[in-house]
């Protein structure tokens, strides 16, 4: 009988090995060879799924996007529009070890995408994650507005851009100085910012 | 007669070569060997000043800090406290090609410092730049407050943290999507944010 390979399971195994390499040694250490070694596979077996490093790195970036997206889809929360908005935004912020690792990966990809000249390659993946978070900010502010919670005359597009920049800035600061920009402090600052928008 | 070497001039030559390598090939491409080749020197001559890559990278980070610091010291501006505050903050934001390159370097160092486990090394330099920008935010808000321009009851420490996160978030967004987060848009968003703090 031929051996039956579940390709989804194998891709998931590669994903896990890749995640471990990136967290431990940084994103540039992730190659077909190092990920194969980590997974206990031959390089050829990994190459069957990801022919080159760029394919592998894009896959890792997609992994981060999928994790964040899955968590946001799974949010179940009741309460004021403010409570709900904060709860969603928290899923995109590095408030625990797992989410800090995701942000580190995102940052490493971003820096690597910046270092590559021209568009394409990793840029498309960075753009997609970036656009997704901005849209989340827009739709949360829209919900707050429809719930009648926001001040009159706010330019929601502008406020979404500011909120998005603030979130990424806080995430960056928590990566730089985790002892100062703690999860508790991020929550306080974010709540204070949203409160300035309230009616 | 012995050859007289001006060490400051030679360090500046290394700085310039290092800057070109980092901008062109990314921060991880900067080594004693590649910088020596770029400067047209022998590796040994570079090593006389910077024995290893870490020394070289720290020097590059200091270069960025020095450039920003020099520009901030040189700011001469008259006008309202708001005009003055915006003018200072602009020097720390990637609003032209030169400042975008500085931010790219800072980002690359930051990502590399994150990838290194433990403290020390590049972390100290990242911290110093980070603290410098937060202190700038604090002192600008303090000046606005003393000029009587700010709303009563603001927590200036909290507002400085928010302003600092906003500035770094906007800088990050302009690196990710320069066509969307343009210099003009950054100025608008920053001005709007500061206006929400006014009396």
């Amino acid at each position: 009988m031929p051996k039956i390979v579940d390709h989804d399971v194998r891709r998931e195994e590669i994903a896990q090995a890749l995640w471990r390499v990136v967290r431990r040694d940084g994103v540039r250490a992730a190659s077909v060879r190092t990920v194969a070694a980590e997974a206990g596979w031959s390089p050829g077996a990994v190459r069957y799924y990801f022919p080159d490093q760029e394919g592998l790195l894009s896959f890792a970036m997609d992994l981060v996007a999928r994790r964040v997206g899955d968590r946001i889809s799974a949010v179940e929360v009741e309460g004021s529009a403010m409570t709900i908005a904060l709860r969603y935004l928290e899923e995109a912020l590095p408030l625990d070890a797992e989410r800090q690792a995701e942000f580190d990966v995102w940052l490493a990809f971003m820096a690597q995408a910046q270092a590559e000249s021209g568009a394409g390659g990793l840029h498309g993946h960075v753009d997609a994650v970036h656009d997704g978070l901005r849209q989340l900010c827009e739709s949360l502010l829209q919900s707050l507005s429809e719930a009648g919670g926001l001040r009159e005359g706010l330019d929601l597009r502008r406020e979404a851009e500011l909120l998005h920049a603030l979130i990424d800035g806080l995430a960056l600061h928590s990566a730089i100085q985790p002892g100062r920009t703690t999860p508790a402090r991020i929550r306080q600052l974010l709540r204070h910012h949203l409160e300035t928008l309230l009616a």
Side-chain angles (χ1 to χ4, degrees), chain A:
Chain A
M1 245 179 82
K3 197 166 147 195
I4 293 172
V5 175
D6 184 329
H7 291 297
D8 285 343
V9 170
R10 304 214 82 186
R11 287 174 69 99
E12 191 57 37
E13 281 176 40
I14 298 178
Q16 296 303 326
L18 172 60
W19 191 251
R20 290 194 297 274
V21 169
V22 166
R23 286 194 61 175
R24 191 183 60 224
D25 302 321
V27 69
R28 288 183 83 129
S31 66
V32 168
R33 203 174 45 77
T34 57
V35 171
E38 178 71 26
W41 295 17
S42 71
V46 172
R47 215 167 270 123
Y48 175 83
Y49 296 93
F50 302 102
D52 56 23
Q53 192 180 26
E54 189 174 302
L56 199 62
L57 295 181
S58 301
F59 178 60
M61 189 74 196
D62 289 345
L63 248 185
V64 169
R66 200 181 71 197
R67 283 163 172 262
V68 176
D70 286 352
R71 280 202 310 269
I72 285 176
S73 304
V75 166
E76 286 185 23
V77 57
E78 290 184 13
S80 67
M82 170 69 99
T83 303
I84 294 169
L86 280 169
R87 183 70 191 73
Y88 275 98
L89 290 175
E90 283 183 2
E91 291 305 338
L93 278 161
L95 300 179
D96 61 25
E98 192 63 12
R99 287 174 281 176
Q100 277 156 14
E102 288 168 359
F103 185 74
D104 282 352
V105 168
W106 185 80
L107 200 60
F109 279 98
M110 229 285 292
Q112 177 135 342
Q114 286 307 113
E116 289 175 358
S117 48
L122 300 177
H123 278 284
H125 296 265
V126 170
D127 272 351
V129 172
H130 186 67
D131 289 341
L133 186 51
R134 192 186 56 253
Q135 282 153 17
L136 178 67
C137 291
E138 281 171 8
S139 64
L140 291 178
L141 290 178
Q142 192 64 45
S143 301
L144 277 171
S145 174
E146 284 162 11
L150 296 188
R151 280 195 282 121
E152 291 289 317
L154 283 181
D155 176 340
L156 288 190
R157 184 168 151 256
R158 179 176 65 195
E159 295 304 335
E161 280 177 73
L162 282 165
L163 177 60
H164 185 195
L166 184 61
I167 284 171
D168 276 340
L170 289 171
L172 193 64
H173 289 190
S174 99
I176 296 173
Q177 291 186 339
R180 176 187 284 268
T181 307
T182 61
R185 187 66 179 158
I186 291 176
R187 285 193 175 92
Q188 281 172 12
L189 291 169
L190 199 55
R191 173 177 285 275
H192 170 73
H193 175 74
L194 288 178
E195 280 171 356
T196 65
L197 306 180
L198 295 184

